[in-house]
Amino acid sequence: MGNVVVVGAQWGDEGKGKLVDWLSEQADTVVRFQGGHNAGHTLVIGENVYKLSLLPSGVVRPGKLGIIGNGVVLDPYALAAEIDRLAKQGVIITRDNLRVAENAALILSVHRELDGLRESGPVGTTIGTTKRGIGPAYEDKVGRRAIRLMDLAEPEALPARVERLLLHHNALRRGAGLPEFEAKAIIKELMDIAPRVLPFMDVVWRLMDEERRAGKRILFEGAQGALLDVDHGTYPYVTSSNTVAGQAATGSGVGPGQVGYVLGIAKAYTTRVGEGPFPTELHDEIGERIGVRGHEFGTVTGRKRRCGWFDAVLVRQTVRTSGIHGIALTKLDILDGFDEIKICTGYRLDGKDIDYLPASQAQQARVEAIYETFKGWEGVTGGARSWKDLPAQAIKYVRRIEELIGAPVALVSTSPERDDTILVQNPFEA
C-alpha cells in the first residue's frame, strides 16, 4: 500500500514526534487528520528542536507536502503564530509545502472563552481540557453552525453565518450572565486573519486522490491517543474527536482502503494528562521517579503528567479498535535501573476478573489492576540501536508486552534521538 497511519496507543504523549519525523523522511505527504492545536509534537533534528501543534511534522523537511485535513479544527491565529515561530528557526511555510482543507472548521474567540468558562466550573464538572476551544468548535461543526475556512473567501456571506453561530453562543452567554458577542467583532476577527490562511486553502480530498494516483507515500499523522477517542476512549474524559486509525480516512477525505499500515505508539510505561481513570497510576516515589526521568510535562501546556506501569489491557484494546499492525515502543530507557517492573495483565471489577476496560464511567473508576512482576535489568538501554545492545531482561520485557497486547513490536525507541531506534519492521515496507 505504501501508506502509514500513526496513532497513539495510550492517552497521548507517547513520543509520536520522533517516530513521525523518522517516517516523514520516507514519506512524500504528511497529513494531520483530527484534533487541533491542543496536542503537540516535539521534533529533534540535529541541533534543532521544533515544537509543532497544528502543522504536520513533514513541513520541517524540504520537499515534503504537509496537509491539514478536514477532520482538524483550525485556529487560524494559532496557525499563523506557528508559521511565524518556524520562520524564526529557518523553516519557511508556503503553499508549496502546506495545504489546508477548505472545509476545515475554525476555532474562534467564542470557542476559547466557552472552553475556559467550562473548565473554571465547580470541582467535579471539569474534564481537564487545554482551554483552547477545541471541544466547542467540534460542537458547532456537528451542530452545522461552524464557520469553515472556505467562508473567509466569501466575505459577503459571512455576516449571515456569524449570526447563525452567535444565535447559539449568545444564548449560552446570557445564561451564564455574560455580555453577548457582537457579530461585527467576530467578522473583524476573521477578516483580519483571512489573508494569512487563505493562501493555503485547497480541495484536500481531490489533492489526496492525486497524490495517491501519483504513487506518493502518504503518512497520516494522528494527534493525542486512541484512549482519548470520543467513542472508544475513557468517556467523558476524552477529546472531542475520533483519534482511532479509522479517522485517518474520514478526516482527510480518502477511502478506508487507502489507509495502509497502522502503527501504534506506546510508551514502555503509561502516562496521562488531566482528569479521568488511570488503573495503573502510581502515587508513590516510583511514579515520581518515572515522571522526572521521562521529563513528563506536556509539549503544549507544560502540565505534569500522571505516571504508572504499562497497561497491557488498554493497549490490547487499542490494537483492536484501531486495527494496529505493529507497535513502536518508546522510552524503554526510562525503566533502566528499576529493581522491579510491573505490567498490568487484567482488571478486577467487583470481585470478578475481566480482560478489558468497561465503557461505564462508574465501573472504570472501580477497576483494580492485576499485575505481573518482572525483575528489572542491569545495564543501560539508552541509545541502543539493535537487539544485541539490550540487556536480556529488557528483551524479555518487550517480548512479554507483545504477547499480552496481541501485536508485534515493530520499533523500539531508546532515547529522544531519532537514530536511537531498534527497527524490526519498516511500516512503509510492510
Side-chain angles (χ1 to χ4, degrees), residues 88-415:
K88 292 178 181 177
Q89 293 184 271
V91 179
I92 306 303
I93 307 299
T94 69
R95 186 174 171 82
D96 291 336
N97 60 357
L98 177 67
R99 306 290 176 86
V100 183
E102 62 176 0
N103 52 339
L106 301 183
I107 299 174
L108 310 178
S109 55
V110 295
H111 301 122
R112 292 190 295 271
E113 288 205 24
L114 179 57
D115 206 357
L117 180 67
R118 289 171 173 170
E119 284 300 308
S120 62
V123 175
T125 64
T126 63
I127 60 173
T129 78
T130 58
K131 303 181 184 180
R132 282 163 166 74
I134 280 77
Y138 273 117
E139 290 175 34
D140 282 346
K141 177 180 178 177
V142 174
R144 299 179 293 275
R145 56 182 171 265
I147 306 297
R148 301 190 290 177
L149 180 60
M150 65 180 73
D151 294 329
L152 303 190
E154 300 176 338
E156 70 283 352
L158 198 53
R161 295 188 173 111
V162 171
E163 289 289 356
R164 181 179 60 186
L165 176 76
L166 292 184
L167 184 66
H168 170 78
H169 281 274
N170 280 338
L172 295 177
R173 294 181 68 82
R174 286 194 299 271
L178 297 173
E180 297 183 14
F181 278 105
E182 293 186 5
K184 63 181 182 180
I186 302 299
I187 293 171
K188 183 179 187 305
E189 174 186 332
L190 293 168
M191 288 296 93
D192 285 350
I193 197 64
R196 293 293 312 273
V197 294
L198 281 178
F200 302 106
M201 185 173 73
D202 207 340
V203 183
V204 160
W205 64 265
R206 186 177 62 189
L207 176 60
M208 293 291 294
D209 186 62
E210 292 170 355
E211 293 288 289
R212 180 184 66 83
R213 290 177 184 276
K216 301 293 182 66
R217 281 183 165 184
I218 301 171
L219 175 63
F220 298 89
E221 178 184 356
Q224 301 151 304
L227 294 173
L228 294 175
D229 186 277
V230 70
D231 288 307
H232 300 288
T234 48
Y235 191 91
Y237 300 101
V238 293
T239 194
S240 299
S241 62
N242 288 109
T243 57
V244 293
Q247 178 64 15
T250 307
S252 58
V254 302
Q258 310 306 322
V259 166
Y261 186 100
V262 180
L263 178 68
I265 316 294
K267 282 176 181 169
Y269 50 96
T270 310
T271 64
R272 176 164 201 170
V273 171
E275 305 297 323
F278 189 167
T280 65
E281 183 173 10
L282 294 167
H283 300 280
D284 55 13
E285 181 273 333
I286 293 176
E288 189 70 21
R289 181 180 174 190
I290 291 173
V292 170
R293 293 189 64 182
H295 305 290
E296 295 298 349
F297 298 91
T299 299
V300 172
T301 64
R303 289 186 297 178
K304 185 178 180 180
R305 298 173 187 142
R306 301 153 63 190
C307 299
W309 295 121
F310 186 86
D311 192 329
V313 181
L314 290 179
V315 177
R316 180 171 64 240
Q317 205 158 312
T318 298
V319 166
R320 295 173 180 176
T321 57
S322 273
I324 289 172
H325 296 99
I327 286 285
L329 192 67
T330 66
K331 291 197 165 184
L332 181 65
D333 54 305
I334 304 305
L335 299 181
D336 289 356
F338 281 87
D339 295 331
E340 285 187 345
I341 298 171
K342 295 183 179 182
I343 299 179
C344 173
T345 59
Y347 299 137
R348 187 162 293 116
L349 175 63
D350 300 335
K352 178 182 178 182
D353 290 355
I354 59 174
D355 61 358
Y356 69 99
L357 186 68
S360 162
Q361 180 181 355
Q363 291 181 0
Q364 288 175 359
R366 297 201 306 273
V367 297
E368 301 173 23
I370 299 172
Y371 289 110
E372 194 172 287
T373 301
F374 282 77
K375 183 179 181 295
W377 51 83
E378 297 178 0
V380 176
T381 64
R385 299 182 181 182
S386 68
W387 287 115
K388 66 181 178 59
D389 296 330
L390 294 179
Q393 193 65 19
I395 296 174
K396 182 178 178 182
Y397 179 72
V398 174
R399 294 305 186 200
R400 182 56 177 152
I401 285 176
E402 288 182 315
E403 293 173 358
L404 290 168
I405 67 175
V409 171
L411 303 100
V412 180
S413 172
T414 58
S415 93

